[in-house]
Amino acid sequence: MIPVSKPYIGEEEKTYVMEVLASGMLAQGPRVAKLEERFAQLCGVKHAIATTSGTTALHVALLAHGIGPGDEVITTPFTFIASANSILFTGAKPVFVDIAEETFNIDPALIEAAITPRTKAIMPVHLYGYVCDMDALQAIADKYNLVILEDACQAVGATYQGKVAGSFGTGAFSLYATKNVMSGEGGMITTNDDAVAEQCRLIRNHGMKRRYYHEMVGYNFRMSDLHAAIGLAQMDRLERFTQARRGNAQYLNANLKTVVTPKVKDGYGHVWHQYTIRVDGGRDRDAAVKQLDDAGVGTGIFYPVPAHQQEYMVEEAGEFHLPVAEKLAKEVISLPVHPQLTQADLETIVAEVNKL
Ligand SMILES: Cc1ncc(COP(=O)(O)O)c(C=O)c1O
């Protein structure tokens, strides 16, 4: 089976972890600080704050911007559920806006109609590693004085007009085991705002600046040095791995014939966390997945049920009718695109998908 994702764990990951174990200092320490520095450099921002996961990075970032009960945050329904849940954690309400068919990302043309006096922020999600149309989003945010909180969990190193994901507003990344840069579990917040960064550091660590003096209610969302050690080894591979993903995606785009392949517009630097095709025209997606599975091609469905259609979400956020997201949720299939694919793997994927 060619797996849809395959984390790479090399000698460096093992060596760095053993160094932490040998040091006897396992909790948040110098490796976390180093990983934060590397992320800030990569994104071209002043601050990076590590957390335990992408989910906690989103949660902390929302809180640091003062978002809470009575507020609304505009986001996409076509995402991993953590995007919307992080909004609920704060007591605010997610307001879902439909996506653009060709990008899978929130459609900026539909956002203004969803803005109310309660709207405090827009949370664009750079799904699959493809940055949202940030010029359009920034113009709306400027006009209505809204915070932009990028869910860049799938988009480490992705660019738009030369700017890196996580540098448009406040950014949140996931370092979950299958992400382009991983630390097993982990998260990262990026920002140029000194006050937001300071809040994030407080919220991450029980509101504590001076040991056992607490300035506010906070959490323990600290990353451990063990996790950071893995992340540091991965950061050294990012550029090479992103190029490999791009090469694989290009090969698939050039050779797949029977399905809708993903397009990349000029000015966008896709990092291909996922390579997602569509079986359109009312074809049976489940049958296609089974056919690929039987042929040894791993697949993923990201995501089969849009966030606004999860049963509890209807109770929390109300009813939304979002036809594009609802249609695409029935059509998408993600194929292997990870850097460990061989040419033979790519040829197998193409041959089998072209039989659909
Ligand atoms: C778009 C998106 N948002 C949020 C998250 C949450 O990240 P984590 O799983 O690290 O909590 C993920 C990761 O799975 C994601 O893909």
Side-chain angles (χ1 to χ4, degrees), residues 63 199 202-208 214-219:
L63 292 174
Q199 280 297 107
L202 282 174
I203 296 163
R204 167 180 71 175
N205 190 21
H206 287 297
M208 191 162 69
H214 305 272
E215 299 186 16
M216 61 190 295
V217 178
Y219 299 85

Side-chain angles (χ1 to χ4, degrees), residues 62-86:
L62 286 162
L63 292 174
H65 279 284
I67 288 157
D71 297 336
E72 293 177 356
V73 179
I74 290 176
T75 193
T76 166
F78 206 60
T79 181
F80 181 55
I81 198 66
S83 316
N85 278 352
S86 66

Side-chain angles (χ1 to χ4, degrees), residues 62 155 174 246 283 349:
L62 286 162
S174 167
R246 286 184 176 148
R283 285 186 278 169
I349 295 165

